[in-house]
């Protein structure tokens, strides 16, 4: 069920409004709009939210007055562009800030903390001119397109997807499926944007973490190829790959928290796998003497085709797990987990967590599936490392690889 505006705290409404304004303003800033950029759009959206908050107490006429106030500011900005074209200053930011500070003064009469929060937001936006403008300049058209594709996936498509169960076994809910798509794309996009700011300058630790956030399989493939081309970089590349593998367990833990917070049975097994992977990574790290090269190029994770492919994969695995539990038993569940974990841990983790969260799969049936999928994923990435990186690269990863597989097997046998 979608939240109504009454369910959202007024302060959170201001933050959401600010974020939406920054989103549109980022695109306008990149387009070098002479009238309004990243700060102006953020102030306009916040001003609209404040007018709506004031209207609840003083009447709806305030929204109309605020609308005409923005129009007046736009006209003033247009006129100032013509009269002060050389400086490139439109005056629109200052005028909107004045309107907002008037609203902040009114809010002090009511919820004083909200007026103070509004004044703080305005001050930060005004002060951060260089940072916000610099941020917009650092984004290329490719990154802007990735962000807008995520907006399409999350803010346009998600609200209109039907929120009800279809098909046999009653496990396929289009809204839930697409919500999981949004979660995965959001996490991957965050890592991608951070990567774009560091690029090839990302060091070993950051490179491994970002690789695990974006795609540990792609990271393994990239560094395996690099290791075969440049044998001298094998130790550094192996550490980056192991950090990426370790980061995956943190990512899976966060996915479980989002999909099914009550699925606590998986926490300890995931913690054990994370600890074993981290310790083996530290063991290899202590013998590392020199820094590695930068990260290889990463693909945009917000492509609509990629999102659709993940949605289809998630739905297939969701149905396969439910079908196997009902008709094939534990053996069928294990096969589904092993096959699905080969290249993608997200789909099996999210689908299993959702089934446990909705009571269609018991916790003690669910956590082994994620561990089996994790073992399958680690085995596959180790095979990639050996096939594409050569014997020397596989040898560098051998002990951590075996330790992770052994830890998973022990958990399944004795837990």
């Amino acid at each position: 069920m979608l939240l109504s505006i009454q369910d959202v705290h007024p302060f959170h409404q201001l933050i959401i409004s600010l974020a939406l304004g920054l989103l549109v303003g980022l695109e306008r800033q990149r387009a070098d709009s002479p009238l309004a950029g990243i700060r102006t759009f953020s102030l306009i959206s916040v001003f609209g939210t404040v007018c709506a908050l004031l209207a609840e107490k003083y009447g709806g006429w305030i929204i109309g007055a605020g609308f005409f106030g923005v129009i007046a500011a736009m006209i003033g900005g247009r006129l100032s562009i013509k009269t002060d074209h050389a400086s490139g200053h439109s005056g629109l930011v200052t005028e909107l800030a004045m309107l907002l500070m008037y609203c902040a003064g009114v809010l002090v009469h009511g919820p004083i903390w909200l007026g103070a929060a509004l004044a703080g937001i305005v001050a930060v936006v005004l002060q951060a001119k260089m940072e916000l403008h610099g941020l917009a300049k650092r984004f290329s058209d490719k990154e802007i397109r990735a962000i807008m594709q995520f907006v399409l996936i999350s803010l346009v498509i998600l609200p209109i997807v039907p929120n009800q169960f279809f098909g046999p076994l009653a496990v396929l809910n289009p809204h839930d499926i697409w919500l999981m798509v949004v979660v995965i794309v959001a996490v991957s996009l965050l890592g991608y944007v951070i990567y774009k700011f560091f690029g090839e300058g990302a060091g070993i630790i950051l490179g491994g973490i970002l690789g695990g956030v974006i795609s540990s399989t792609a990271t393994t493939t990239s560094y395996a190829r690099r290791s075969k081309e440049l044998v001298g970089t094998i130790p550094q590349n192996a550490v980056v790959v192991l950090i990426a593998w370790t980061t995956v367990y943190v990512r899976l833990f966060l996915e479980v928290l989002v999909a099914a917070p009550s699925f606590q049975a998986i926490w300890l097994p995931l913690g054990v796998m994370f600890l074993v992977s981290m310790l083996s990574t530290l063991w290899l790290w202590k013998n590392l003497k020199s820094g590695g090269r930068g990260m290889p190029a990463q693909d945009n994770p917000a492509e609509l085709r990629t999102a659709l492919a993940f949605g289809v994969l998630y739905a297939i695995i969701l149905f396969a797990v439910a079908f196997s539990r009902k008709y094939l038993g534990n053996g069928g569940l294990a096969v589904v987990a092993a096959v699905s974990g080969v290249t993608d841990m997200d789909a099996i983790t999210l689908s299993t967590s959702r089934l446990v969260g909705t009571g269609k799969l018991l916790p003690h049936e669910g956590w082994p599936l994620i561990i089996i999928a994790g073992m399958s994923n680690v085995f596959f990435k180790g095979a990639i490392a050996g096939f594409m990186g050569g014997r020397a690269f596989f040898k560098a990863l051998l002990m951590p690889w075996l330790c992770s597989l052994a830890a998973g097997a022990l958990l399944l046998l004795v837990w």
Side-chain angles (χ1 to χ4, degrees):
M1 182 180 294
L2 295 178
L3 292 174
S4 65
I5 192 65
Q6 288 78 15
D7 298 321
V8 183
H9 195 281
F11 178 73
H12 295 156
Q13 293 177 27
L14 285 178
I15 298 301
I16 292 170
S17 180
L18 175 64
L20 294 175
L22 288 171
L23 176 66
V24 177
L26 175 64
E27 195 281 331
R28 287 292 81 201
Q29 189 75 42
R30 280 284 306 168
D32 291 325
S33 171
L35 179 62
I38 190 168
R39 295 193 303 158
T40 303
F41 272 97
S42 62
L43 293 178
I44 288 175
S45 60
V46 170
F47 180 61
T49 300
V50 170
C51 286
L53 291 172
L54 291 174
E56 293 180 0
K57 185 174 182 179
Y58 299 104
W61 64 269
I62 292 181
I63 296 178
F67 178 73
F68 286 110
V70 173
I71 292 178
M74 290 169 58
I75 294 173
R78 277 294 179 188
L79 291 175
S80 66
I81 289 175
K82 296 179 181 179
T83 58
D84 194 18
H85 182 72
S87 67
H89 173 63
S90 69
L92 200 55
V93 169
T94 301
E95 292 166 11
L96 287 169
M98 292 168 64
L99 289 171
L100 278 170
M101 289 313 299
Y102 168 78
C103 294
V106 175
L107 286 172
V108 168
H109 178 66
I112 187 171
W113 63 268
L114 194 57
L118 175 60
I121 290 174
V122 172
V124 169
V125 171
L126 292 177
Q127 188 277 333
K129 177 179 180 179
M130 299 301 296
E131 290 80 2
L132 290 174
H133 287 189
L135 175 69
K137 290 180 180 178
R138 293 188 67 176
F139 280 109
S140 68
D141 291 338
K142 185 178 180 180
E143 281 83 67
I144 294 294
R145 183 166 59 252
I147 293 173
M148 294 306 164
Q149 286 169 338
F150 176 69
V151 170
L152 174 66
I153 292 169
S154 59
L155 300 183
V156 178
I157 297 178
L158 180 62
I160 63 175
V161 175
N163 188 9
Q164 62 185 86
F165 290 96
F166 294 92
L169 303 179
V171 295
L172 299 181
N173 184 315
H175 187 271
D176 282 352
I177 292 172
W178 200 252
L179 180 61
M180 294 302 103
V181 172
V182 171
V183 169
I184 292 304
V185 173
V187 172
S188 299
L189 181 61
L190 177 62
Y192 175 73
V193 170
I194 295 175
Y195 155 75
K196 294 304 293 185
F197 277 89
F198 291 94
E200 292 222 354
I204 289 178
I205 296 178
L206 181 59
I209 293 174
L210 291 178
V213 170
I214 300 171
S215 172
S216 62
T217 302
T219 300
T220 302
T221 302
S222 298
Y223 280 94
R225 288 172 177 167
R226 175 178 291 184
S227 296
K228 198 163 189 178
E229 295 170 357
L230 301 168
V231 178
T233 65
I234 286 178
Q236 298 93 334
N237 295 342
V239 171
V240 174
V241 168
L242 288 175
I243 293 175
W245 292 6
T246 305
T247 303
V248 168
Y249 297 113
V250 179
R251 174 176 175 144
L252 297 181
F253 178 77
L254 295 176
E255 290 174 4
V256 172
L257 283 181
V258 171
S262 61
F263 187 18
Q264 299 179 11
I266 188 60
W267 293 0
L268 188 56
L270 273 183
V272 171
M273 296 296 291
F274 169 79
L275 185 62
V276 170
S277 184
M278 183 182 67
L279 290 177
S280 59
T281 302
L282 290 175
W283 173 77
L284 192 62
W285 170 275
K286 71 176 183 178
N287 298 318
L288 192 63
K289 297 181 180 180
S290 59
R293 297 178 60 192
M295 286 187 70
Q298 302 289 332
D299 294 327
N300 169 21
E303 290 286 353
L304 187 58
R305 180 167 47 185
T306 303
L308 288 171
F310 177 82
V312 171
L313 177 63
Y314 173 80
I316 291 173
I317 293 175
L318 190 69
F319 181 80
V321 170
F323 180 87
S324 298
R325 182 180 186 269
K326 185 172 182 178
Y327 297 106
L328 303 180
N330 292 335
L333 287 173
V335 171
V336 171
V339 172
S340 61
V342 168
T343 58
D344 194 304
M345 278 297 299
D346 298 320
I348 183 65
T349 300
L350 289 170
S351 60
T352 301
S353 300
R354 293 297 289 176
L355 289 172
V356 171
T358 55
K360 296 175 181 177
L361 192 67
L362 296 177
H364 73 269
E365 295 174 321
W367 75 259
L369 300 185
I370 296 177
I371 298 302
I372 291 172
M375 294 174 61
S376 175
N377 188 255
V378 169
F379 182 86
F380 178 70
K381 287 184 292 193
I384 289 178
F387 180 74
M388 304 193 72
R391 181 178 299 178
F393 186 58
F394 180 72
K395 184 178 179 180
L397 294 171
L398 180 59
M399 285 306 298
W401 183 66
L402 290 176
C403 287
S404 292
L405 293 175
L410 285 174
L411 281 170
L412 295 172
L413 288 173
V414 304
W415 190 254

